[in-house]
């Protein structure tokens, strides 16, 4: 939706090219090595720019030095879920369950080194519990096994879990309740202020992007986000898009790198 709006405003097509692989680091590397002319951009995100610099031993770029960070597009809160048939209704219930059965509660993720995985590691440390991490090849299969009650729990996005009545959201990992889900308590309300975490996406370009180009792209991205159809879609999936300046988005990325780097260091969650 943002690409379509930006294309109309810029007077030329904005083509989304999916470059899958290694948690988004393949596509990021392509952009890092592209000319800084504003014609090759990146959907920067928590996997490739926030967590990737720490979990991958040989990442081919520097997530700060090799990019011009332009705008935050969306931050979708993470949620802790269990199958709706399980007798667990709060985070306190979940922690008590894990303490009764150390390592017996299995928590799915989309893969080793994913943001879901490192958030699990942070949760374990803060709650003083043992969980068994079960990595899948993608979020869909992991979520489906929680729905089918084949695995106990998962940390995923509000977008994925929010409208499925076969799972129970124990907490939204935000410091405030989300408008579309007012009855879902936050992780902060339940005693874990340091577990606020989201799956975020932004717009970035190669390092050295001239300021006039970066400023124009920033303005058009924010205008696209404010369009009624885009705003409605964001609300439907629980995505928030505070209108950060370019400097603020750059500082946000730097904080995420530092934050998750510390979690990875303490947990040893690496991908070879």
């Amino acid at each position: 939706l943002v690409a379509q709006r930006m294309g109309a405003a810029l007077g030329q097509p904005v083509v989304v090219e999916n470059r899958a692989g290694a948690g988004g680091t393949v596509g990021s590397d392509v952009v890092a090595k592209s000319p800084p002319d504003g014609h090759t951009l990146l959907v920067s995100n928590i996997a490739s720019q926030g967590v990737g610099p720490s979990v991958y031993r040989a990442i081919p770029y520097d997530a700060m030095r090799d990019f011009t960070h332009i705008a935050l597009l969306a931050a979708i809160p993470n949620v802790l879920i269990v199958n709706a048939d399980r007798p667990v209704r709060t985070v306190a219930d979940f922690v008590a369950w894990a303490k009764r059965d150390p390592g017996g509660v299995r928590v799915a993720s989309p893969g080793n080194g994913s943001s879901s995985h490192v958030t699990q590691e942070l949760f374990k440390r803060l709650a003083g519990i043992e969980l068994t991490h079960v990595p899948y090849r993608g979020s869909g299969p992991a979520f489906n096994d929680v729905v089918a009650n084949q695995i106990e729990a998962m940390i995923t996005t509000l977008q994925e879990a929010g409208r499925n009545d076969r799972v129970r959201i124990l907490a939204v990992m935000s410091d405030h309740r989300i408008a579309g889900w007012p009855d879902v308590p936050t992780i902060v309300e339940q005693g874990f202020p340091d577990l606020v975490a989201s799956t975020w996406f932004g717009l970035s370009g190669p390092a050295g992007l001239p300021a006039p180009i970066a400023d124009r792209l920033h303005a058009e991205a924010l205008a696209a986000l404010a369009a009624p159809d885009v705003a409605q879609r964001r609300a439907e999936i629980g995505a928030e898009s505070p209108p950060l300046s370019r400097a603020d988005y750059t500082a946000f990325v730097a904080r995420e790198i530092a934050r998750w780097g510390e979690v990875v260091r303490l947990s040893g969650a690496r991908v070879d």
Side-chain angles (χ1 to χ4, degrees):
L1 288 173
V2 170
Q4 292 167 6
R5 287 278 179 174
M6 289 184 68
L10 294 169
Q12 56 184 301
V14 177
V15 179
V16 178
E17 180 181 345
N18 294 310
R19 290 288 189 101
T25 61
V26 171
S28 294
D29 190 42
V30 170
V31 175
K33 293 177 171 59
S34 295
D37 56 11
H39 289 280
T40 304
L41 303 173
L42 172 71
V43 178
S44 45
N45 63 88
I46 186 172
S48 54
Q49 271 64 45
V51 176
S54 299
V55 298
Y56 289 98
R57 296 184 188 276
I59 197 165
Y61 54 81
D62 185 291
M64 294 300 297
R65 186 183 62 242
D66 293 336
F67 297 94
T68 301
H69 296 301
I70 297 167
L72 177 67
L73 299 179
I76 306 172
N78 290 343
V79 291
L80 173 62
I81 64 168
V82 295
N83 182 276
D85 292 336
R86 292 189 181 271
V88 178
R89 297 190 173 275
T90 66
V91 175
D93 290 345
F94 187 92
V95 171
W97 178 25
K99 287 185 174 180
R100 286 194 305 271
D101 186 12
V105 178
R106 298 169 301 164
V107 184
S109 85
N112 282 317
S114 63
S115 61
S116 172
H117 177 200
V118 297
T119 305
Q120 282 185 45
E121 297 297 334
L122 179 59
F123 183 28
K124 286 165 53 177
R125 181 160 57 85
L126 294 174
I129 56 178
E130 289 299 322
L131 302 169
T132 296
H133 172 230
V134 182
Y136 283 71
R137 291 189 174 183
S139 181
F143 182 75
N144 288 341
D145 271 5
V146 178
V147 170
N149 214 3
Q150 297 300 309
I151 197 162
E152 285 77 14
M154 183 179 181
I155 293 173
T156 185
T157 65
L158 183 58
Q159 176 184 6
E160 183 165 51
R163 306 300 182 191
N164 193 310
D165 60 7
R166 294 299 306 141
V167 300
R168 177 179 299 119
I169 301 175
L170 303 183
V172 59
M173 293 181 169
S174 174
D175 59 3
H176 59 278
R177 295 200 180 197
I178 305 302
W181 293 264
D183 297 329
V184 178
T186 70
I187 200 75
V188 174
E189 291 174 59
Q190 299 186 73
F192 291 91
D194 292 333
L195 259 179
V196 170
S198 63
T199 297
W200 52 266
F201 304 89
L203 186 67
S204 302
L209 194 64
I213 295 176
D215 289 342
R216 174 73 188 280
L217 291 169
H218 174 265
E220 298 299 353
L222 264 56
L225 291 169
D229 60 330
V230 181
Q232 178 180 346
R233 180 59 182 153
R234 286 194 288 113
E236 290 171 354
I237 63 175
E240 300 181 320
S241 302
L244 301 184
S245 68
R246 288 206 295 120
D248 286 342
Y249 179 51
T250 301
F252 170 79
V253 175
R255 289 195 301 273
E256 288 285 278
I257 293 169
R259 180 193 188 191
W260 296 114
E262 179 68 2
V263 174
V264 169
R265 184 184 69 81
L266 293 171
S267 68
R270 292 274 189 170
V271 179
D272 292 322

